[in-house]
Amino acid sequence: MTKINSCKKIILQALPIILLLAGLYLVPIRIFETDFSKVPGDLGDARFNNYILEHGHKYLEGKVKSYWDAPFMFPYKNVIAFSDNLLGTLPIYSVFRVLGFDRETSYQLWLLTLFILNFVCCFWVLKRWSNNTILSSTGAFLFSFSILLVGNIYNVQTFPRFIVPFVFYWSWKYLSQKQLKYFLFTSLGIVYQFYCGIYLGFLLIYTLLFLLISYLVIYRDIEIFKQFKEARKIGYHLLIIAIAGLILAPLMLPYLEVSHKLGMRTFEEVIDTIPFLRSYFFTSKAPVLWGVFSEHGIATLPLFWCHFLFIGALPWIGVAAVPLVLLSKKIESDRKKFIAFISLGLFLSFIFCLNFNGFTLYKIIFELPGFSSMRSVNRIINTEIMYFVLIFVFVFKELSKSYRLVKLLVFTFPLLIILDNLIDPQEIMRYNKQESQKKITAIRDLIQTQYDNAHTATAYMSNITDSDKIEFHLSVMLAAQDLNIPCVNAYSGSYPASYLDFFNNVDENALTKWCNFNNFEKNKIQQISDGKVREIKKTVTLKAFNGKYIIDNRNRNSNLFADSDNPWEWETFEIIEVYKDKINIRSSTGKFVCADQNKANVLIANRVEAKDWETFTMIELENNSVAFMAANGKYLSVDKKSLQLSATSDTIDVQEKFRIINSSGSR
């Protein structure tokens, strides 16, 4: 018996480490790939966050004079306050840069560290709170590696949330024990979350507001108010609030300045990002078990990519089991009350942030100071998940103490949580780190060759399409960052309206308007050109390996098939050469062809504008053939059975070869 108990103790001690290592391998490592060649996200937001971290590191090194006046969107000031700043976790990134890792690898290691911190901090809190290793480990895995990350991994500013479990715990300790130190910890924890990310700072306040309301409703504890009869206690609370405010002020003042200049968002800009009930049961194709849930929301949810809020089955089972706890006669009343308290907090948080076909109580929250600055309300899941975690842990803790079958079931949770949250990394948008670095290097070399130090800044000029704008401006920003040269080119969370003309057109006329707006002499900015040509068009038909023409079959949802015998209207396409080997393909309906990442990367002609997933690389082959590579790095291929086109092939074989036939004859 002693040996059995000893083995059980060792397994329990090792369990959190095992789950942490499993989570790290299954999520970030497989997304990065073992050679760290891939970065989650596209060439837009992911690289922008990398730029922000690198800018902060350069500021710490003394290579940048002003933190808030970053050297993009020159000569506009306070541009960092157009987006999240990631200051709270900047030291983590900076450590990796000091150790000699390059900018992109340091970004990956920073993200990897956040996964670790999220798990370790959540486990520590849950273990201290529940004293149950199995459930605490499982809950920490849910908090850190849940499939909800699939919908948020492209916005990594939502990842630094390891302080959230502490703030929930300290809030409970303050409410239940009335000790001033926990009010101090809670206040400073909220401030730190703001420094980690403005969005999650506000959303943490939102969830804590309902934690307080829930506590007052369930416990009816008026002692929390009676303590304020003492002037001394009032003074201490006000002092803590003042200290927190003083610490927060340097962060918030630049954002207040931006809000005064640009104004706040309207509620109409926000409404489509407020979750619907079905949002909580909607995900992408990446989850292995739950990818089937990806189908029901794409056609019905506005801005569907904002609504990947499904967190797996286990936490919802925990929520469904709440009535069993509340109705059980075997569970002590104080434990029932605690679970009712957490459950009501989740319900209120849930119901006040739900879109009932246009009606939502969030409109009340929107009126609170600061909340109108946020557009992506769907990110509430990143703090709301702590409610799910607590309910899951404490519901099954109480049930396992009272019911032997549940106790046995709990032992399977570490395995079940892994299966519940298993993802296919191939279904997650990623970009190749080295390819991005090559693009940046090419622009950097061109700037370095042409730039004259007599100028104050540079404006990198190029003919670009809509699909290239974000990628182009970010590549220029990163290249200029390498050279420590300010640039007019910019991508950010928002812009002054006067900048958008340059962002969209990148020409001398737009540059002149921008300089006039800023009362800045244009001749102090050196214009650097890459000589690229934009939008050379030709009307063509495409033949596949089977001798059939490619058709935009409008009877089959405009999916592309290689099964037409005649080159008529539906078989006619317009090839738009963006630059070099990059092209867009527009069908006779005027819609662009897309490799739809949410539908197994099938080819479909239904996009109004051309962006990343509507841009292809055309590769010249022998015998007058070509191949096309989509944004996911896969080649367009014709399925031999269905004859449907999709971007799914890793190599170029017979099915991946096409002939382009111009309107004037054979290629």
Side-chain angles (χ1 to χ4, degrees), residues 93-326:
Y93 173 86
S94 199
V95 165
F96 293 121
R97 292 293 279 130
V98 170
L99 290 175
F101 293 99
D102 62 41
R103 176 176 53 205
E104 288 76 14
T105 305
S106 295
Y107 176 71
Q108 291 170 302
L109 293 171
W110 168 81
L111 188 54
L112 190 69
T113 305
L114 294 182
F115 275 100
I116 295 171
L117 286 172
N118 286 341
F119 182 93
V120 171
C121 293
C122 189
F123 171 76
W124 189 93
V125 167
L126 292 176
K127 182 65 167 64
R128 190 176 182 87
W129 208 340
S130 71
N131 196 31
N132 186 302
T133 301
I134 295 176
L135 289 171
S136 296
S137 302
T138 308
F141 189 99
L142 174 63
F143 182 78
S144 311
F145 302 108
S146 168
I147 54 176
L148 79 87
L149 298 171
V150 172
N152 289 277
I153 202 165
Y154 312 131
N155 303 109
V156 295
Q157 59 269 39
T158 64
F159 270 56
R161 49 190 170 90
F162 47 87
I163 199 67
V164 170
F166 286 105
V167 173
F168 266 75
Y169 179 64
W170 292 330
S171 298
W172 162 248
K173 296 294 267 186
Y174 171 71
L175 291 172
S176 59
Q177 297 181 11
K178 317 296 184 298
Q179 292 185 37
L180 198 62
K181 66 177 181 180
Y182 291 116
F183 183 74
L184 173 63
F185 295 162
T186 299
S187 301
L188 295 180
I190 293 171
V191 170
Y192 180 68
Q193 184 61 72
F194 269 101
Y195 272 90
C196 287
I198 301 293
Y199 259 94
L200 293 198
F202 279 113
L203 295 176
L204 180 57
I205 289 176
Y206 171 89
T207 49
L208 292 179
L209 171 64
F210 292 114
L211 193 75
L212 172 61
I213 294 172
S214 175
Y215 179 82
L216 295 175
V217 170
I218 297 298
Y219 286 92
R220 301 180 183 180
D221 183 2
I222 61 172
E223 293 297 322
I224 196 169
F225 298 113
K226 285 184 177 180
Q227 64 177 323
F228 295 114
K229 290 182 177 180
E230 299 178 34
R232 180 172 57 88
K233 286 257 181 108
I234 295 175
Y236 284 145
H237 281 82
L238 291 177
L239 178 61
I240 290 171
I241 293 171
I243 291 171
L246 287 173
I247 298 172
L248 191 58
L251 177 75
M252 298 307 296
L253 289 176
Y255 288 94
L256 287 173
E257 180 185 330
V258 166
S259 67
H260 289 149
K261 288 183 178 180
L262 302 187
M264 306 304 285
R265 299 186 188 277
T266 64
F267 192 70
E268 286 68 30
E269 294 178 81
V270 170
I271 185 68
D272 285 342
T273 71
I274 298 174
F276 295 84
L277 180 60
R278 58 188 182 276
S279 303
Y280 286 89
F281 299 93
F282 174 55
T283 184
S284 75
K285 283 186 173 292
V288 174
L289 292 182
W290 310 113
V292 65
F293 284 5
S294 66
E295 296 299 328
H296 76 85
I298 292 174
T300 59
L301 286 168
L303 305 180
F304 70 87
W305 54 90
C306 291
H307 294 269
F308 295 138
L309 304 189
F310 183 59
I311 57 176
L314 276 183
W316 279 111
I317 292 172
V319 171
V322 168
L324 296 179
V325 175
L326 300 182

Side-chain angles (χ1 to χ4, degrees), residues 534-540 574-578 586:
R534 177 182 178 181
E535 206 170 84
I536 300 174
K537 303 177 183 177
K538 53 186 175 184
T539 304
V540 303
E574 196 173 55
I575 297 288
I576 301 174
E577 297 181 11
V578 181
R586 186 156 51 197

